[in-house]
Amino acid sequence: MQNTDCTFICEQFTEYQENSLSSEIRAQVDTHLASCSACREIFQKLTGVVETLHKLPSLQASTDFTSTLLSRIETLNQETVWQKIYSSSYSRVAGYAIAAGLIVAIGINILIDPISPIKPGVQSNYAGEKINPDPRTESLAEVSDSSANQPADSLTLQNSPINSQNQSMQLVSGKK
Amino acid sequence: MSEKPLKTDEQLIADFQNGNENAFVELVDRYKDRLVNFVYRFLHDMTDAEDMVQETFLKVYKNKHAYREIAKFSTWIYTIAGNLARSELRKRKRRKTYTMSALSFDDNEFTPVDPGKDTEGIVFNSYAGEEIMKAIYALAEPFKTIIILRDIQELSYEDISTILDIPMGTVKSRVNRARLKLQETLSYLKE
Ligand SMILES: [Zn+2]
């Protein structure tokens, strides 16, 4: 397609093959093809391409295509049913009732056991032995305080803050 | 025993719109192979093609009332399937851009050719089916679409004009340009 004439001729090929050109243009293409080898070559190749395209084997959907599709649709329908139930006014009321019930239940639970996350024993652990209300740990603290008067072997044991804290922890947990 | 006259696609979709699910199944039977054949030419992958055709039918199922009798059912379903296939191609192209393809030809991305591979076993006028499929896949999108619709699905110019929403004259000139481009691409691939 070196010049405009060739370009114009090539643009007519499809209609030329389909026999839908006016006799005037058809004659123009015939004359051109007779004298231009470049366009003739393109036309021949084009004819081959189109014929190959028409002869391409047609593919088929796999045998379980329809059953797979129908089960997908079934799933879809089930989802839609649930969406409808969920969005219907009746179920919204039911939903509110369940939500309200849950809130009431949580509220009652808090009233029955208002300080469950902050039990006194745990508090004393964080604050240290001196605030611990347990009399047994108080007495232990006293022993620790008076450890200066104890013999050396017991001093190391009783004076260790880790040790006494461990003891108070054991006591508190034992009290639970 | 006289056979019941076959219902038209348009009668079937009308039945389906009125709640007859069997009419839908009948439409699936009529179109599944045609559409798989159609979408496969875009995607070059059978699993993806079947998936996309399933999506097409699901869309038809969900949006049955979107169909109006002013159009042929075939052009409607081809439009849906074609849009899905082309949007999948755009997604692939974006992914491909990220992975940087070194081979490019005009505005097309090229799939390297595996010479001597002719799984479809068709050799006509020195063009093998597999070669031609690769060449189609390598075409720019508007050319690819028009070749598939006209030369593989063998739809009429009028139907193609409806599906692509372009004038008949444009369809004809695009078919011609696409064929020339395809022939050029094939020559390039064969070098
Ligand atoms: Zn010429």
Side-chain angles (χ1 to χ4, degrees):
Chain A
M1 282 187 275
Q2 296 303 311
N3 55 58
T4 43
D5 203 18
C6 288
T7 307
F8 174 77
I9 295 300
C10 285
E11 280 167 2
Q12 313 308 315
F13 281 165
T14 296
E15 292 201 69
Y16 179 81
Q17 285 167 328
E18 290 168 357
N19 245 329
S20 57
L21 286 175
S22 66
S23 52
E24 193 193 332
I25 295 179
R26 188 172 181 85
Q28 239 176 293
V29 175
D30 281 332
T31 315
H32 186 91
L33 284 180
S35 63
C36 177
S37 62
C39 281
R40 215 167 36 241
E41 196 195 334
I42 291 171
F43 183 73
Q44 276 163 358
K45 281 184 180 172
L46 204 67
T47 309
V49 169
V50 174
E51 284 183 43
T52 310
L53 285 170
H54 289 170
K55 284 174 186 244
L56 279 179
S58 43
L59 304 160
Q60 285 182 332
S62 56
T63 45
D64 62 349
F65 181 91
T66 307
S67 60
T68 308
L69 176 68
L70 294 180
S71 67
R72 281 179 78 177
I73 285 170
E74 205 176 310
T75 314
L76 190 88
N77 281 340
Q78 277 164 359
E79 278 166 12
T80 317
V81 165
W82 279 108
Q83 274 166 4
K84 275 181 189 161
I85 290 170
Y86 187 74
S87 62
S88 75
S89 56
Y90 172 79
S91 66
R92 265 208 302 275
V93 172
Y96 291 146
I98 291 165
L102 273 172
I103 290 165
V104 170
I106 292 163
I108 288 168
N109 190 43
I110 288 167
L111 281 173
I112 289 169
D113 192 3
I115 37 165
S116 52
I118 35 162
K119 286 210 164 121
V122 180
Q123 198 176 30
S124 69
N125 269 336
Y126 282 106
E129 300 137 0
K130 279 174 187 171
I131 326 160
N132 197 316
D134 190 324
R136 281 170 297 180
T137 36
E138 261 174 335
S139 66
L140 248 176
E142 270 167 36
V143 173
S144 298
D145 283 346
S146 61
S147 60
N149 304 323
Q150 301 294 317
D153 56 333
S154 63
L155 188 124
T156 38
L157 249 171
Q158 290 182 342
N159 219 15
S160 156
I162 298 162
N163 195 36
S164 62
Q165 211 169 11
N166 278 353
Q167 278 173 318
S168 88
M169 268 161 93
Q170 275 162 10
L171 284 167
V172 171
S173 59
K175 203 177 72 173
K176 267 185 204 171
Chain B
M1 231 174 84
S2 64
E3 257 186 61
K4 248 197 317 188
L6 218 57
K7 283 191 172 182
T8 65
D9 297 341
E10 290 70 29
Q11 284 171 322
L12 286 173
I13 183 75
D15 286 354
F16 177 47
Q17 285 173 329
N18 291 324
N20 180 357
E21 304 249 329
N22 289 333
F24 174 76
V25 178
E26 173 70 33
L27 284 169
V28 171
D29 278 341
R30 282 189 192 182
Y31 279 90
K32 60 179 181 183
D33 291 342
R34 261 187 270 182
L35 290 179
V36 163
N37 205 30
F38 173 56
V39 175
Y40 175 80
R41 308 302 176 184
F42 281 94
L43 304 181
H44 233 207
D45 179 295
M46 201 56 183
T47 313
D48 286 356
E50 288 217 347
D51 240 32
M52 205 127 288
V53 177
Q54 295 243 340
E55 284 302 318
T56 304
F57 283 120
L58 284 174
K59 271 185 189 283
V60 169
Y61 188 90
K62 283 192 271 189
N63 306 298
K64 59 181 173 188
H65 293 295
Y67 171 79
R68 297 279 176 273
E69 232 189 304
I70 43 166
K72 277 163 80 176
F73 176 77
S74 63
T75 57
W76 187 57
I77 200 164
Y78 269 112
T79 307
I80 298 171
N83 286 342
L84 282 172
R86 286 186 289 171
S87 88
E88 172 63 21
L89 275 186
R90 280 194 292 274
K91 268 187 234 162
R92 282 188 185 181
K93 199 170 182 183
R94 276 200 293 275
R95 263 178 262 143
K96 224 173 169 183
T97 313
Y98 286 127
T99 52
M100 278 271 292
S101 168
L103 284 160
S104 62
F105 181 72
D106 285 355
D107 45 354
N108 317 319
E109 297 269 354
F110 247 103
T111 313
V113 196
D114 178 3
K117 199 184 166 197
D118 180 21
T119 53
E120 288 174 296
I122 280 187
V123 182
F124 194 87
N125 227 11
S126 78
Y127 291 121
E130 182 71 11
E131 245 175 358
I132 225 161
M133 284 312 300
K134 279 176 176 154
I136 292 170
Y137 192 71
L139 283 177
E141 193 278 308
F143 294 143
K144 193 200 312 269
T145 305
I146 207 99
I147 284 283
I148 294 170
L149 288 170
R150 178 63 187 169
D151 287 329
I152 299 180
Q153 298 293 301
E154 301 189 31
L155 298 183
S156 70
Y157 287 127
E158 201 185 347
D159 283 353
I160 297 171
S161 160
T162 309
I163 292 167
L164 298 179
D165 198 21
I166 53 175
M168 282 261 271
T170 311
V171 175
K172 287 188 179 182
S173 63
R174 199 179 285 177
V175 166
N176 195 75
R177 267 166 49 220
R179 285 176 177 176
L180 288 170
K181 195 87 193 165
L182 184 64
Q183 180 259 310
E184 225 176 85
T185 307
L186 274 164
S187 306
Y188 175 90
L189 288 178
K190 283 179 85 68
E191 271 162 23

